[in-house]
């Protein structure tokens, strides 16, 4: 089994996490920017400030970006928790690199599937579904893996 | 005061966190699965792919699972932040075990109260309320406890 | 460049995080408390228990607190991830203190701007916008900074 210096695995995790948090923050800002572009605001003071309409619910286009963002955070939290426990437990580098890179790939493709206009909508739905499932599986397997290694190191 | 090896307290935290993240992820998947079962989708491409209805807002049954999930994440984030700071601050194991186990118990009962069909709805509301409050208190007390211990270790 | 003991920077981070998590949790509880005060509940069992109305969507006043809370968590997650990576990467204390304190300030002012009744609504919108942007920038710069330092320490 591959055995990197702990620093190297940590550096990979740091890069993966910072790419993911930048993406999540870009989605957050995109929600606000799209509200501004459509001139429809859910906060009254924004409508007054920027001269738009005050609406009770966001436009469908804003809601879609928001859902992509929300789904990102819902998965980023378990990933970060699991990943940090994994690093701290001192488990295998090979597994760690695989988990981190698979999750990174899955979540960037998930955002792409959510926001890109595909010609065939079935493809769009399938890619979103598959990448969500992949990221989901990584968080669960990695979290349980970390818990098992942490328990083993205590018991031995 | 009980004093475990740092590894042991970490292992307990790792197990508690991984159980909580698995539960949160199961709730996330359950939202999607319930949408599929009811054949009502908020994304147009899902409705086309799976042959269902495209709706503006989720069914009440989906929204309930979603709210349970959201409430979970809203509390999991402060718990994980507080718990990690607590571990890093080197504070007492007794308090740590108490915080971790109380939170774990509170959140599993909270999900149970949210999604189980009680005969008496007052009981359902009360259990949800009590377990939310317990988990809430744990995050705040543990967070402040960690901050105080971290400050003390710097000042001494 | 300022160089604190690692413990001191960690203590500052712990205090900042615990203040932020307490604020987020207070917003969470405030949502529930406002529902109770207005006697309008989105869960049927709460309406039955506390003798109120069962409504499909929260009152605008509840939704506003909820949005302040949600925006808090959306930014707290990237901040905590970035901050922890930053601490672990061993980067400069000066930058760390600046990031932590700017973010703390930005988020407390953001909540104030969201929930306080300003005479001039344009001011309210501008303050919210400026503090959101400041906190947003901190998470991104800090996250990338941590990733770069972690990579450098591996490559050197």
């Amino acid at each position: 089994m591959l055995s990197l210096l702990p620093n190297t695995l940590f550096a990979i995790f740091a890069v993966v996490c910072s790419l993911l948090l930048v993406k999540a923050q870009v989605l957050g800002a995109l929600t606000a920017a799209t509200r501004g572009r459509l001139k429809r605001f859910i906060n009254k003071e924004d409508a007054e400030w920027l001269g738009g309409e005050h609406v009770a619910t966001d436009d469908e286009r804003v809601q879609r970006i928001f859902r992509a963002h929300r789904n990102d955070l819902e998965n980023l939290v378990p990933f970060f928790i699991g990943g940090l426990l994994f690093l701290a437990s001192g488990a295998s580098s090979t597994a760690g690199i695989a988990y981190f890179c698979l999750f990174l790939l899955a979540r960037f493709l998930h955002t792409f599937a959510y926001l890109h206009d595909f010609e065939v909508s079935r493809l769009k739905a399938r890619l979103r579904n598959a990448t969500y499932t992949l990221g989901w599986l990584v968080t669960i397997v990695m979290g349980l893996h970390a818990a098992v290694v942490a328990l083993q190191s205590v018991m031995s």
Side-chain angles (χ1 to χ4, degrees), chain A:
Chain A
M1 215 176 286
L2 177 64
S3 175
L4 297 177
L5 289 175
N7 262 355
T8 311
L9 191 59
F10 167 72
I12 295 170
F13 185 67
V15 170
V16 165
C17 282
S18 76
L19 292 174
L20 288 166
L21 78 81
V22 168
K23 177 166 73 64
Q25 289 294 64
V26 166
L27 286 175
L30 203 58
T31 318
T34 309
R35 268 186 209 121
R37 192 168 57 79
L38 300 170
K39 297 260 180 209
R40 292 183 199 166
F41 303 97
I42 48 175
N43 287 315
K44 199 162 138 271
E45 68 269 24
D46 295 342
E48 286 173 18
W49 176 33
L50 300 163
E53 206 183 333
H54 178 212
V55 293
T57 46
D58 270 321
D59 189 276
E60 165 62 21
R61 283 161 289 183
V62 176
Q63 284 191 35
R64 178 171 274 270
I65 305 170
F66 171 67
R67 284 200 297 269
H69 183 204
R70 191 175 70 194
N71 195 286
D72 241 25
L73 290 176
E74 283 173 12
N75 287 282
L76 187 52
V77 169
F79 172 74
F80 183 68
I81 295 177
L84 219 58
L85 296 176
F86 189 87
L87 280 178
S89 73
S92 131
S93 307
T94 323
I97 294 176
Y99 294 145
F100 301 163
C101 294
L102 276 178
F103 188 81
L104 183 71
L105 182 74
R107 296 311 305 179
F108 270 83
L109 284 176
H110 182 271
T111 301
F112 175 75
Y114 227 132
L115 301 180
H116 183 72
D117 272 327
F118 286 78
E119 296 256 328
V120 187
S121 77
R122 202 163 293 193
L123 214 73
K124 185 181 176 72
R126 277 200 177 146
L127 181 60
R128 212 187 80 230
N129 185 282
T131 51
Y132 170 77
T133 307
L134 177 59
W136 188 89
L137 281 173
V138 169
T139 58
I140 288 188
V141 172
M142 184 172 66
L144 293 177
H145 190 157
V148 168
V149 175
L151 274 180
Q152 280 173 341
S153 78
V154 172
M155 285 174 183
S156 64

